[in-house]
Amino acid sequence: MTRTRPMQPLVAGNWKMNPTARSDALMLARAAAATAARHQAVTTVICPPTVFLAEVAAEVGPSRLAVGAQTMAAEERGAFTGETSPLMLAGLAGFVIVGHSERRANDGETDEGVAAKVASAVAHGIRPIAAIGERIEERRAGRTEEVVDRQLHAAVSRLEAIHGSGLVIAYEPVWAIGSGEAASPADAQVVAARIRELLGTVDADAAPQVPILYGGSVTGDNARAFFDCPDIDGALVGGGSLDAASFEAIVAAAEAAAAHRRTPSAEATRS
Ligand code: PGA
């Protein structure tokens, strides 16, 4: 199926609970800002730990690099020990990862919670990167589609519209995260196409424009094969975003894939 791609590929680095030293975080952020400046055809995002967000945002200043948070509360204020309000993030973070599998597994994040956070992020002008994906036992049981359908439906269930929401979906098979064993691009494409089809049942006009990222052991070596898939518009990168050179290689691969698609011959073969 031919579709109009989102304006730009999107590569987001999820630093998780790394690096632990402020100086290392600022150094990594400066390197990512330089990467973003060198590859302006890619929307490049880094998601540092919350404690470094303000300093990282100040360090990169107004640049091509966007800054995101790794999670946030749906609520604006109140008795939510340890949480971060969307009001605190607004103006600081342009993106927020919601529903990462580590938070689903370790912090009791539920489909309902993800739905509330996605809606809250959108309401506060922060683009949600909603992470969904099956666990290994679910894949082995042939339940990938069912799990992805359920998580996706939940993630968008409290949005009034997908159009204009800034929604990003990250398909991250849980077994591929941090394992060094990425999904095959063909398998990831099958799920990404399914995600797009489902988005189309909610909003047919907006679905082609929603960036769908692949995540799970993306490296500078394997990234291009994902970016060449018709329904994969970028990557959510964990370990590979902690090394400046490997993050640069992934962003460069996204730019090269997009440039390849823009050549007349690539257009001709796609239509
Ligand atoms: P990984 O993590 O790239 O280290 O596999 C991806 C993620 O958790 O977002």
Side-chain angles (χ1 to χ4, degrees):
M1 188 179 74
T2 304
R3 72 177 177 101
T4 310
R5 291 245 185 185
M7 292 299 285
Q8 294 208 318
L10 193 157
V11 175
N14 173 14
W15 293 2
K16 309 191 180 184
M17 204 164 68
N18 306 291
T20 54
R22 169 188 170 278
S23 55
D24 290 341
L26 295 181
M27 197 162 67
L28 200 54
R30 281 193 295 273
T35 289
R38 279 192 288 270
H39 305 285
Q40 299 195 3
V42 180
T43 300
T44 304
V45 186
I46 54 170
C47 302
T50 307
V51 73
F52 297 138
L53 256 183
E55 267 192 290
V56 162
E59 184 77 16
V60 302
S63 70
R64 307 293 305 195
L65 180 67
V67 175
Q70 297 175 13
T71 184
M72 63 165 220
E75 296 79 6
E76 289 190 337
R77 58 175 58 77
F80 299 99
T81 301
E83 292 292 346
T84 309
S85 158
L87 294 175
M88 299 168 187
L89 292 180
L92 208 57
F95 293 81
V96 61
I97 301 169
V98 175
H100 190 281
S101 64
E102 285 153 16
R103 295 200 57 85
R104 292 182 192 256
N106 305 331
D107 300 278
E109 196 123 305
T110 61
D111 283 346
E112 293 71 32
V114 171
K117 290 181 181 192
V118 165
S120 176
V122 171
H124 291 88
I126 305 168
R127 294 184 66 181
I129 303 175
I132 62 178
E134 82 286 1
R135 298 196 305 264
I136 189 64
E137 62 273 21
E138 292 165 333
R139 170 160 284 253
R140 288 197 181 122
R143 294 180 50 221
T144 298
E145 194 172 300
E146 170 200 326
V147 170
V148 165
D149 284 14
R150 191 197 75 229
Q151 292 181 342
L152 182 75
H153 270 128
V156 301
S157 62
R158 289 179 58 176
L159 285 182
E160 277 171 24
I162 291 179
H163 179 77
S165 68
L167 176 71
V168 180
I169 301 293
Y171 168 56
E172 299 203 305
V174 178
W175 46 270
I177 294 176
S179 66
E181 280 191 47
S184 75
D187 282 354
Q189 164 57 28
V190 167
V191 180
R194 172 72 188 162
I195 290 169
R196 200 170 302 286
E197 185 187 323
L198 285 174
L199 289 170
T201 64
V202 181
D203 186 337
D205 291 338
Q209 294 296 313
V210 174
I212 299 178
L213 316 181
Y214 167 76
S217 297
V218 174
T219 66
D221 291 334
N222 67 17
R224 176 67 191 264
F226 290 103
F227 301 149
D228 282 338
C229 294
D231 285 291
I232 297 178
D233 305 306
L236 183 55
V237 187
S241 70
L242 294 173
D243 175 79
S246 87
F247 193 55
E248 165 106 21
I250 295 165
V251 174
E255 188 169 67
H260 178 73
R261 281 194 298 274
R262 278 198 307 273
T263 61
S265 58
E267 285 301 319
T269 54
R270 276 178 56 218
S271 53

